[in-house]
Amino acid sequence: MHRQKTKFSHRVNRVATALERRGIRATYHLHDRMLSNRKSRRLFAHEQPELDGVQQRIVSEVEAQGFAVLPFGELFRDAELWRDLEAQRDRFVEETEAELAAGGENVRVRQGKEFVIRLHSYGVDVGLDDPWFRATTSRRMLDVANAYLRMWSKLEYLDVWYSVPQPASAERVSSQRWHRDYNDKHLLKAFLYLVDVDEEMGPFQYVPGSQPGGPYADAWAWSPLGENYPTEEELEEKIPASAVHAFTGPKATLIFCNTAGFHRGGFSTTNPRVLATVTYSSPASLASLTERSYEFKGAHEELDAPTRFALS
Ligand SMILES: O=C(O)CCC(=O)C(=O)O
């Protein structure tokens, strides 16, 4: 009897989960085609940003190959901002290493991804005193995101990560494995290296052309709640190793990437990799698949319209 009941409740749970997943997919498509993204596209079409040459190049490279890479100083001619970012990095690294030396109980990590220690994680208040928030909400970056996505985007997530070195014999887990991000297909992430990153430090890796619209888009194609983690062997069978791009580079390397394409990284076996990251997505993502990681604690009414939109 008990066994039957258990079987029955398992089946109910399975059906409920399947229905819930179907509802989430339907909500995403509805928001993408009809509701929030449509409005966002209209807002963008009404007030298109004027991009300079550097911004235009980023947008056209991400469109063509799924990524663009450049020194931070090419996009931001602002030495003070870079100094503030380095000071933020130094404080974070010092606090993290002190915590780790004390046993590591109080570091901010997410379950299943304990190798990434986060400055913020979720549910934090951030303001313009945070230099990475300042950079990511500036029109230098936001206009790139909006022009690539061809709509007013949402700034969904930002953080600074400290990737803890792993034994070389460890298995790759979570985002160390090839995957497409679940967040959205209208997606632009940026990664800013805050230390030099070589081959052993878990550089970000990407399959150019695997972004929606690219030549590898159909390999485990992106779909809301889709199959986005093939095994490493399966992926390597379909996509030759020579097609993979590994982003080694000095500190201040800035990578823009549509991570609805295949990517992985953070498997350092030597020194900690420290980077800042941000995610811009479409409103449909926040309506169905994701949640914003932070709350803007400043005055919304003092922001211009696209920035207010991105933060709310
Ligand atoms: O840490 C990395 O290089 C990969 C990050 C990643 O997979 C992601 O942000 O989706």
Side-chain angles (χ1 to χ4, degrees), residues 74-312:
E74 236 178 73
L75 185 59
F76 288 96
R77 301 203 179 280
D78 182 345
E80 190 184 335
L81 179 57
W82 176 251
R83 269 199 306 277
D84 289 350
L85 283 161
E86 287 200 302
Q88 182 179 43
R89 173 205 62 198
D90 290 346
R91 282 192 303 274
F92 173 51
V93 168
E94 195 181 318
E95 281 164 21
T96 300
E97 292 183 346
E99 279 295 343
L100 287 174
E105 298 239 313
N106 297 317
V107 292
R108 275 184 215 93
V109 290
R110 300 200 87 196
Q111 206 184 354
K113 208 171 162 181
E114 286 80 1
F115 61 93
V116 178
I117 298 176
R118 295 144 197 268
L119 173 65
H120 295 310
S121 202
Y122 279 74
V124 284
D125 286 341
V126 285
L128 295 166
D129 54 331
D130 177 316
W132 182 232
F133 185 70
R134 214 155 61 233
T136 57
T137 55
S138 75
R139 297 296 295 267
R140 300 297 294 153
M141 284 182 83
L142 186 59
D143 284 352
V144 166
N146 292 356
Y148 172 63
L149 300 179
R150 297 186 193 171
M151 66 177 102
W152 280 9
S153 67
K154 295 289 184 184
L155 198 164
E156 177 198 313
Y157 172 88
L158 86 158
D159 217 334
V160 181
W161 293 349
Y162 177 108
S163 298
V164 180
Q166 310 291 299
S169 59
E171 288 246 336
R172 286 176 176 268
V173 293
S174 183
S175 56
Q176 295 169 339
R177 291 178 40 203
W178 289 114
H179 64 286
R180 295 184 184 277
D181 279 341
Y182 69 95
N183 312 51
D184 205 344
K185 67 177 163 191
H186 310 290
L187 193 60
L188 188 69
K189 278 193 177 178
F191 300 96
L192 172 64
Y193 287 168
L194 297 171
V195 294
D196 299 347
V197 176
D198 63 25
E199 289 82 5
E200 275 79 50
M201 283 171 65
F204 177 70
Q205 291 178 294
Y206 188 69
V207 178
S210 62
Q211 76 282 6
Y216 291 118
D218 291 341
W220 301 276
W222 189 93
S223 71
L225 304 182
E227 170 55 65
N228 56 351
Y229 270 86
T231 67
E232 298 286 278
E233 295 75 24
E234 282 170 337
L235 185 120
E236 282 156 16
E237 262 171 35
K238 274 206 186 162
I239 295 170
S242 56
V244 172
H245 190 95
F247 297 81
T248 53
K251 68 181 173 186
T253 296
L254 178 61
I255 305 155
F256 285 90
C257 187
N258 182 336
T259 52
F262 275 109
H263 63 288
R264 68 178 184 180
F267 188 72
S268 173
T269 54
T270 53
N271 299 310
R273 192 195 66 172
V274 187
L275 60 72
T277 180
V278 62
T279 306
Y280 303 95
S281 60
S282 76
S285 167
L286 283 179
S288 56
L289 297 173
T290 59
E291 57 177 308
R292 192 190 298 280
S293 69
Y294 65 91
E295 189 79 46
F296 171 51
K297 68 170 189 232
H300 282 254
E301 64 282 5
E302 287 173 12
L303 303 172
D304 61 34
T307 314
R308 198 161 55 239
F309 185 90
L311 302 186
S312 57

Side-chain angles (χ1 to χ4, degrees), residues 6-18:
T6 312
K7 260 192 182 167
F8 179 69
S9 60
H10 274 321
R11 200 172 316 141
V12 169
N13 274 342
R14 252 204 332 269
V15 172
T17 307

Side-chain angles (χ1 to χ4, degrees), residues 22-75:
R22 204 187 294 171
I24 292 171
R25 286 196 188 103
T27 308
Y28 177 83
H29 288 307
L30 192 65
H31 275 275
D32 186 25
R33 294 174 192 151
M34 307 288 296
L35 302 177
S36 49
N37 284 4
R38 195 177 196 180
K39 178 177 163 216
S40 232
R41 290 185 179 105
R42 235 186 358 248
L43 288 166
F44 175 76
H46 249 258
E47 198 183 308
Q48 299 207 12
E50 271 183 34
L51 306 186
D52 70 7
V54 176
Q55 292 172 305
Q56 273 169 21
R57 181 168 60 80
I58 298 168
V59 173
S60 55
E61 288 182 8
V62 182
E63 280 170 355
Q65 55 190 14
F67 73 89
V69 58
L70 70 165
F72 181 76
E74 236 178 73
L75 185 59

